[in-house]
Amino acid sequence: MAVLNEILVNVDYQTDGSSATMWKQYVKNPKGFAFWRKICMQYPESRKRTFIDCIHYVSNSIMAKNERYIKESPRPVLTVLCTPMGLILYIVTLRKGR
């Protein structure tokens, strides 16, 4: 992955595009999103971002029915602390992802 400080492509927002269906994508591919959040927690941008990624990781792991998500987490203590909020996000995601 490379980080560039230049515009490569300009695109138009589509009302039925990827960002409009994000909740459904979380429901359809929870393992993929949980994997990505684990990577993000291993290489944190900031404390705030790590906290957000951990909440999403918990939500996606619950959705994927991964009972070992705490053991598999790169930040197990934070994962335990984020579990209540991750559970709330899981419920919200299921409702919005229908």
Side-chain angles (χ1 to χ4, degrees):
M1 182 183 293
V3 178
L4 303 173
N5 192 19
E6 61 186 84
I7 298 171
L8 299 177
V9 175
N10 275 326
V11 295
D12 291 324
Y13 178 80
Q14 298 177 355
T15 56
D16 62 342
S18 179
S19 59
T21 62
M22 201 65 217
W23 295 103
K24 288 182 182 181
Q25 291 177 47
Y26 285 139
V27 173
K28 282 185 170 184
N29 186 17
K31 288 181 183 178
F33 283 105
F35 174 78
W36 175 245
R37 298 301 179 161
K38 280 172 63 173
I39 299 297
C40 292
M41 286 191 291
Q42 289 174 341
Y43 305 100
E45 292 177 19
S46 66
R47 287 182 182 164
K48 180 181 176 181
R49 187 71 234 179
T50 303
F51 184 70
I52 291 167
D53 287 329
C54 192
I55 293 169
H56 280 266
Y57 169 72
V58 170
S59 173
N60 295 136
S61 295
I62 293 169
M63 198 168 303
K65 297 178 176 39
N66 180 3
E67 296 175 359
R68 298 177 48 85
Y69 73 96
I70 294 171
K71 288 184 180 181
E72 294 174 0
S73 172
R75 300 186 181 260
V77 174
L78 183 61
T79 301
V80 169
L81 296 174
C82 289
T83 294
M85 288 168 282
L87 183 57
I88 292 168
L89 179 59
Y90 162 73
I91 293 166
V92 170
T93 301
L94 285 181
R95 289 185 179 167
K96 290 189 174 194
R98 292 182 191 170

